[in-house]
Coordinates of all heavy atoms in Angstrom, one line a residue:
M2 N 105.1 95.8 86.2 CA 104.4 95.5 85.0 C 103.2 96.4 84.8 O 103.0 96.8 83.7 CB 104.0 94.0 85.1 CG 103.1 93.7 83.8 SD 102.0 92.3 84.1 CE 100.9 92.5 82.8
M3 N 102.4 96.6 85.8 CA 101.2 97.3 85.7 C 101.4 98.8 85.2 O 100.6 99.2 84.4 CB 100.4 97.4 87.0 CG 99.8 96.0 87.4 SD 98.8 95.2 86.1 CE 97.5 96.4 86.0
R4 N 102.4 99.4 85.6 CA 102.7 100.8 85.2 C 102.9 100.8 83.7 O 102.4 101.6 82.9 CB 103.8 101.4 85.9 CG 104.1 102.8 85.4 CD 105.1 103.6 86.3 NE 104.3 104.0 87.4 CZ 104.7 104.2 88.6 NH1 106.0 104.1 88.9 NH2 103.9 104.6 89.5
R5 N 103.8 99.9 83.2 CA 104.2 99.8 81.8 C 102.9 99.4 81.0 O 102.7 99.9 79.9 CB 105.3 98.9 81.5 CG 106.6 99.5 82.1 CD 107.9 98.7 81.6 NE 108.0 99.0 80.2 CZ 108.2 98.0 79.3 NH1 108.3 96.8 79.6 NH2 108.3 98.3 78.0
F6 N 102.2 98.5 81.5 CA 101.0 98.0 80.8 C 99.9 99.2 80.7 O 99.3 99.4 79.6 CB 100.4 96.8 81.5 CG 99.1 96.3 80.9 CD1 99.1 95.7 79.6 CD2 97.9 96.4 81.5 CE1 97.9 95.3 79.0 CE2 96.7 96.0 80.9 CZ 96.7 95.4 79.7
T7 N 99.8 99.9 81.8 CA 98.9 101.0 81.8 C 99.3 102.1 80.8 O 98.5 102.6 80.0 CB 98.8 101.7 83.2 OG1 98.3 100.7 84.1 CG2 97.9 102.9 83.2
E8 N 100.6 102.4 80.8 CA 101.1 103.3 79.8 C 100.9 102.9 78.4 O 100.5 103.7 77.5 CB 102.6 103.6 80.0 CG 102.9 104.3 81.3 CD 104.4 104.3 81.7 OE1 105.2 103.7 81.0 OE2 104.7 105.0 82.7
L9 N 101.1 101.6 78.1 CA 100.8 101.0 76.8 C 99.4 101.2 76.4 O 99.0 101.7 75.3 CB 101.2 99.5 76.7 CG 100.8 98.8 75.5 CD1 101.5 99.3 74.3 CD2 101.1 97.3 75.6
C10 N 98.5 100.9 77.3 CA 97.0 101.0 77.0 C 96.7 102.5 76.7 O 95.9 102.7 75.8 CB 96.2 100.5 78.2 SG 96.3 98.7 78.3
L11 N 97.2 103.4 77.5 CA 96.9 104.8 77.3 C 97.4 105.3 75.9 O 96.8 106.0 75.2 CB 97.5 105.6 78.4 CG 96.9 105.5 79.8 CD1 97.7 106.2 80.8 CD2 95.4 106.0 79.7
R12 N 98.6 104.8 75.6 CA 99.2 105.1 74.2 C 98.3 104.6 73.1 O 98.0 105.3 72.1 CB 100.6 104.6 74.1 CG 101.6 105.5 74.8 CD 103.0 105.0 74.6 NE 103.4 105.2 73.2 CZ 104.6 104.7 72.7 NH1 105.4 104.0 73.4 NH2 104.8 105.0 71.4
L13 N 97.9 103.4 73.3 CA 97.0 102.7 72.2 C 95.7 103.5 72.1 O 95.2 103.7 71.0 CB 96.8 101.3 72.6 CG 98.0 100.4 72.5 CD1 97.7 99.0 73.0 CD2 98.6 100.3 71.1
D14 N 95.1 103.9 73.3 CA 93.8 104.5 73.3 C 93.9 106.0 72.8 O 92.9 106.5 72.3 CB 93.3 104.5 74.7 CG 91.8 105.0 74.8 OD1 91.0 104.4 74.0 OD2 91.5 105.9 75.6
A15 N 95.1 106.6 72.8 CA 95.2 108.0 72.5 C 95.3 108.2 71.0 O 95.4 109.4 70.6 CB 96.5 108.6 73.2
T16 N 95.4 107.2 70.2 CA 95.6 107.4 68.8 C 94.7 106.5 68.0 O 94.3 105.4 68.4 CB 97.0 107.2 68.4 OG1 97.2 107.6 67.0 CG2 97.5 105.8 68.6
T17 N 94.4 106.9 66.7 CA 93.7 106.0 65.8 C 94.7 105.6 64.7 O 94.3 104.8 63.8 CB 92.5 106.8 65.1 OG1 93.0 107.9 64.5 CG2 91.5 107.1 66.2
S18 N 95.9 106.1 64.8 CA 96.9 105.7 63.8 C 97.4 104.3 64.0 O 98.0 103.9 65.1 CB 98.1 106.7 63.9 OG 99.2 106.2 63.2
T19 N 97.3 103.5 63.0 CA 97.8 102.1 63.1 C 99.3 102.1 63.3 O 99.8 101.3 64.1 CB 97.4 101.3 61.8 OG1 96.0 101.3 61.7 CG2 97.9 99.9 61.9
S20 N 100.0 102.9 62.6 CA 101.5 102.9 62.8 C 101.9 103.4 64.2 O 102.8 102.8 64.8 CB 102.2 103.8 61.7 OG 101.8 105.2 61.9
A21 N 101.2 104.3 64.8 CA 101.5 104.7 66.2 C 101.2 103.6 67.1 O 101.9 103.4 68.1 CB 100.7 106.0 66.5
K22 N 100.1 102.9 66.9 CA 99.8 101.7 67.8 C 100.8 100.6 67.6 O 101.3 100.1 68.6 CB 98.4 101.2 67.4 CG 97.2 102.1 67.8 CD 95.9 101.5 67.4 CE 94.8 102.5 67.7 NZ 94.3 102.5 69.0
T23 N 101.2 100.4 66.4 CA 102.3 99.4 66.1 C 103.6 99.8 66.8 O 104.3 99.0 67.5 CB 102.5 99.2 64.6 OG1 101.3 98.8 64.0 CG2 103.6 98.2 64.3
D24 N 103.9 101.1 66.7 CA 105.2 101.6 67.4 C 105.1 101.4 68.9 O 106.1 101.0 69.5 CB 105.4 103.1 67.1 CG 105.8 103.3 65.6 OD1 106.2 102.4 64.9 OD2 105.7 104.5 65.2
A25 N 103.9 101.7 69.5 CA 103.8 101.5 70.9 C 103.9 100.0 71.3 O 104.6 99.7 72.3 CB 102.4 102.0 71.4
L26 N 103.4 99.1 70.6 CA 103.5 97.7 70.8 C 104.9 97.2 70.7 O 105.4 96.5 71.5 CB 102.5 96.9 70.0 CG 101.0 97.1 70.3 CD1 100.2 96.5 69.1 CD2 100.7 96.4 71.6
V27 N 105.6 97.7 69.6 CA 107.0 97.3 69.4 C 107.8 97.7 70.5 O 108.7 97.0 71.0 CB 107.5 97.8 68.0 CG1 109.0 97.7 67.9 CG2 106.8 97.1 66.9
E28 N 107.7 99.0 71.0 CA 108.5 99.5 72.1 C 108.2 98.7 73.4 O 109.1 98.4 74.1 CB 108.2 101.0 72.3 CG 108.7 101.9 71.2 CD 108.3 103.3 71.3 OE1 108.0 103.7 72.4 OE2 108.3 104.0 70.3
Y29 N 106.9 98.4 73.6 CA 106.6 97.6 74.8 C 107.3 96.3 74.8 O 107.9 95.9 75.8 CB 105.1 97.5 75.0 CG 104.7 96.7 76.2 CD1 104.7 97.3 77.5 CD2 104.6 95.3 76.1 CE1 104.4 96.5 78.6 CE2 104.3 94.5 77.2 CZ 104.2 95.2 78.5 OH 104.0 94.4 79.6
F30 N 107.1 95.5 73.7 CA 107.6 94.1 73.7 C 109.1 94.1 73.5 O 109.7 93.0 73.8 CB 106.9 93.4 72.5 CG 105.4 93.0 72.9 CD1 104.4 93.6 72.2 CD2 105.1 92.2 73.9 CE1 103.1 93.3 72.5 CE2 103.8 91.9 74.2 CZ 102.8 92.4 73.5
A31 N 109.7 95.1 73.1 CA 111.2 95.1 72.9 C 111.9 94.8 74.2 O 113.0 94.1 74.1 CB 111.7 96.4 72.3
D32 N 111.4 95.3 75.3 CA 112.2 95.0 76.5 C 111.3 94.6 77.7 O 111.6 94.6 78.8 CB 113.0 96.3 77.0 CG 112.1 97.5 77.2 OD1 110.9 97.4 76.9 OD2 112.6 98.5 77.8
A33 N 110.1 94.0 77.3 CA 109.2 93.5 78.3 C 109.7 92.2 78.8 O 110.3 91.4 78.1 CB 107.8 93.3 77.8
D34 N 109.5 91.9 80.1 CA 109.8 90.6 80.7 C 108.9 89.6 79.9 O 107.7 89.8 79.7 CB 109.4 90.6 82.2 CG 109.6 89.3 82.8 OD1 110.8 89.0 83.2 OD2 108.6 88.6 83.0
P35 N 109.5 88.4 79.6 CA 108.7 87.4 78.8 C 107.4 87.0 79.5 O 106.4 86.9 78.8 CB 109.7 86.3 78.7 CG 111.0 86.9 78.8 CD 110.9 88.0 79.7
A36 N 107.4 86.9 80.8 CA 106.1 86.5 81.5 C 105.1 87.6 81.3 O 103.9 87.4 81.1 CB 106.4 86.2 82.9
D37 N 105.5 88.9 81.5 CA 104.6 90.0 81.3 C 104.1 90.1 79.9 O 102.9 90.4 79.7 CB 105.3 91.3 81.7 CG 105.6 91.4 83.2 OD1 105.1 90.6 84.0 OD2 106.5 92.2 83.6
A38 N 105.0 89.9 79.0 CA 104.6 90.0 77.5 C 103.6 88.9 77.2 O 102.6 89.2 76.5 CB 105.8 89.8 76.7
A39 N 103.7 87.7 77.8 CA 102.8 86.7 77.6 C 101.4 87.0 78.1 O 100.4 86.8 77.5 CB 103.3 85.4 78.2
W40 N 101.4 87.7 79.3 CA 100.1 88.1 79.8 C 99.4 89.2 79.0 O 98.2 89.2 78.8 CB 100.3 88.6 81.3 CG 100.2 87.5 82.3 CD1 101.2 86.9 82.9 CD2 99.0 86.9 82.7 NE1 100.7 85.9 83.7 CE2 99.3 85.9 83.6 CE3 97.6 87.0 82.4 CZ2 98.4 85.1 84.3 CZ3 96.7 86.2 83.1 CH2 97.1 85.3 84.0
V41 N 100.2 90.1 78.5 CA 99.7 91.2 77.6 C 99.1 90.6 76.4 O 98.0 91.0 75.9 CB 100.8 92.2 77.3 CG1 100.3 93.2 76.2 CG2 101.2 93.0 78.6
V42 N 99.8 89.6 75.7 CA 99.2 89.0 74.5 C 97.9 88.3 74.9 O 96.9 88.4 74.2 CB 100.3 88.0 73.9 CG1 99.6 87.1 72.9 CG2 101.5 88.8 73.4
A43 N 97.9 87.6 76.0 CA 96.7 86.8 76.4 C 95.6 87.8 76.7 O 94.4 87.5 76.2 CB 97.0 86.0 77.7
I44 N 95.8 88.9 77.3 CA 94.7 89.9 77.6 C 94.2 90.5 76.3 O 93.0 90.6 76.1 CB 95.2 90.9 78.6 CG1 95.5 90.3 80.0 CG2 94.3 92.1 78.7 CD1 96.2 91.2 80.9
F45 N 95.1 90.9 75.4 CA 94.7 91.6 74.2 C 94.0 90.6 73.2 O 93.2 91.1 72.4 CB 95.9 92.2 73.5 CG 96.3 93.5 74.2 CD1 97.5 94.1 73.8 CD2 95.6 94.2 75.1 CE1 97.9 95.3 74.4 CE2 95.9 95.4 75.6 CZ 97.1 95.9 75.3
T46 N 94.3 89.3 73.3 CA 93.7 88.4 72.4 C 92.4 87.7 73.0 O 91.8 86.9 72.4 CB 94.7 87.3 72.0 OG1 95.1 86.6 73.1 CG2 95.8 87.9 71.2
G47 N 92.2 88.1 74.3 CA 91.0 87.5 74.9 C 91.2 86.0 75.4 O 90.3 85.3 75.7
Q48 N 92.5 85.6 75.5 CA 92.8 84.3 75.9 C 93.3 84.2 77.3 O 94.1 83.3 77.6 CB 93.8 83.7 74.9 CG 93.3 83.6 73.5 CD 92.0 82.8 73.3 OE1 92.0 81.7 73.9 NE2 91.1 83.3 72.6
R49 N 92.9 85.1 78.1 CA 93.4 85.2 79.5 C 93.0 83.9 80.3 O 91.9 83.4 80.2 CB 92.7 86.4 80.2 CG 93.3 86.6 81.6 CD 92.7 87.9 82.2 NE 91.2 87.8 82.2 CZ 90.5 87.4 83.2 NH1 91.1 86.9 84.3 NH2 89.2 87.4 83.2
P50 N 94.0 83.3 81.0 CA 93.6 82.1 81.7 C 92.6 82.3 82.7 O 92.5 83.4 83.4 CB 95.0 81.7 82.4 CG 96.0 82.4 81.6 CD 95.4 83.7 81.1
R51 N 91.7 81.4 82.9 CA 90.6 81.5 83.9 C 91.1 81.0 85.2 O 91.9 80.1 85.3 CB 89.4 80.6 83.4 CG 88.9 81.0 82.0 CD 87.9 82.2 82.2 NE 87.4 82.5 80.8 CZ 87.5 83.6 80.3 NH1 88.1 84.6 80.9 NH2 87.0 83.9 79.1
G52 N 90.5 81.5 86.3 CA 90.7 80.9 87.6 C 92.0 81.3 88.3 O 92.4 80.6 89.2
S53 N 92.6 82.3 87.8 CA 93.9 82.7 88.4 C 93.6 83.2 89.9 O 94.4 82.8 90.8 CB 94.5 83.9 87.7 OG 94.8 83.5 86.4
A54 N 92.6 84.0 90.1 CA 92.2 84.4 91.4 C 90.8 84.8 91.4 O 90.3 85.3 90.4 CB 93.1 85.6 91.9
S55 N 90.1 84.5 92.5 CA 88.7 84.9 92.5 C 88.5 86.4 92.7 O 89.4 87.0 93.2 CB 88.0 84.2 93.6 OG 88.4 84.7 94.9
S56 N 87.4 86.9 92.2 CA 87.2 88.4 92.4 C 87.1 88.7 93.9 O 87.6 89.8 94.3 CB 85.9 88.8 91.7 OG 84.8 88.1 92.2
R57 N 86.6 87.8 94.7 CA 86.6 88.0 96.2 C 88.0 88.1 96.8 O 88.3 89.0 97.6 CB 85.8 86.9 96.9 CG 85.8 87.0 98.4 CD 84.9 86.0 99.0 NE 83.6 86.5 98.5 CZ 82.4 86.1 99.1 NH1 82.5 85.3 100.1 NH2 81.3 86.6 98.7
A58 N 88.9 87.3 96.3 CA 90.3 87.3 96.8 C 91.0 88.6 96.4 O 91.7 89.3 97.2 CB 91.1 86.1 96.3
V59 N 90.7 89.0 95.1 CA 91.3 90.3 94.6 C 90.8 91.4 95.4 O 91.5 92.3 95.8 CB 91.1 90.4 93.1 CG1 91.5 91.8 92.7 CG2 91.8 89.3 92.4
M60 N 89.5 91.5 95.7 CA 88.9 92.5 96.4 C 89.4 92.6 97.9 O 89.8 93.7 98.4 CB 87.3 92.4 96.5 CG 86.6 93.5 97.3 SD 84.8 93.3 97.4 CE 84.7 91.8 98.4
Q61 N 89.6 91.5 98.5 CA 90.1 91.4 99.8 C 91.6 92.0 99.9 O 91.9 92.7 100.7 CB 90.1 90.0 100.4 CG 90.5 89.9 101.8 CD 89.6 90.6 102.8 OE1 88.4 90.6 102.6 NE2 90.2 91.2 103.8
L62 N 92.4 91.5 98.9 CA 93.8 92.0 98.9 C 93.8 93.5 98.6 O 94.6 94.2 99.2 CB 94.5 91.3 97.8 CG 94.9 89.8 98.1 CD1 95.4 89.2 96.8 CD2 95.9 89.7 99.2
A63 N 92.9 94.0 97.7 CA 92.9 95.4 97.5 C 92.5 96.2 98.7 O 93.1 97.3 99.0 CB 92.0 95.7 96.3
M64 N 91.5 95.8 99.4 CA 91.1 96.4 100.6 C 92.2 96.5 101.7 O 92.4 97.5 102.3 CB 89.8 95.8 101.2 CG 88.6 96.0 100.4 SD 87.0 95.4 101.1 CE 87.4 93.7 101.5
E65 N 92.9 95.3 101.9 CA 94.0 95.3 102.8 C 95.1 96.2 102.4 O 95.7 96.9 103.3 CB 94.5 93.8 103.0 CG 93.5 92.9 103.6 CD 93.9 91.5 103.6 OE1 95.0 91.1 103.2 OE2 93.1 90.6 104.0
A66 N 95.5 96.2 101.2 CA 96.6 97.0 100.7 C 96.3 98.5 100.8 O 97.2 99.3 101.1 CB 97.0 96.6 99.3
S67 N 95.0 98.9 100.5 CA 94.7 100.3 100.4 C 94.2 100.8 101.8 O 94.2 102.1 102.0 CB 93.6 100.5 99.4 OG 92.4 99.9 99.8
G68 N 93.7 99.9 102.6 CA 93.2 100.4 103.9 C 91.7 100.9 103.8 O 91.2 101.5 104.7
V69 N 91.1 100.7 102.6 CA 89.8 101.1 102.4 C 88.8 100.1 102.9 O 88.9 98.9 102.5 CB 89.5 101.4 100.9 CG1 88.1 101.7 100.6 CG2 90.4 102.5 100.3
P70 N 87.9 100.4 103.7 CA 86.9 99.4 104.3 C 85.9 99.0 103.2 O 85.7 99.7 102.2 CB 86.2 100.2 105.4 CG 86.3 101.6 105.0 CD 87.6 101.8 104.3
R71 N 85.4 97.8 103.4 CA 84.3 97.4 102.5 C 83.0 98.1 102.8 O 82.6 98.1 103.9 CB 84.1 95.9 102.6 CG 83.1 95.3 101.7 CD 83.1 93.8 101.7 NE 82.2 93.4 100.6 CZ 81.7 92.2 100.6 NH1 81.9 91.3 101.5 NH2 80.9 91.9 99.5
W72 N 82.4 98.8 101.8 CA 81.2 99.5 102.1 C 80.2 99.1 101.2 O 80.2 98.8 100.1 CB 81.3 101.0 102.0 CG 82.6 101.7 101.9 CD1 83.5 101.7 102.9 CD2 83.0 102.6 100.9 NE1 84.6 102.5 102.5 CE2 84.3 103.1 101.3 CE3 82.6 103.0 99.7 CZ2 85.1 103.9 100.6 CZ3 83.3 103.9 99.0 CH2 84.6 104.4 99.4

């Protein structure tokens, strides 16, 4: 999901054309997993659910996955 979402954000940011932005969104949602699509809508509308994970838990997971120590 993250790769496709990142690509969508980059496409949206790369243009001021409303039609190009619309095309990017249509292409993304045409074959997006419904759960991923719901999250994208929530993020873009500012209605992201609260309390999914604490920032501390996310930081710990990122450090473990990357091997980067906490500095």
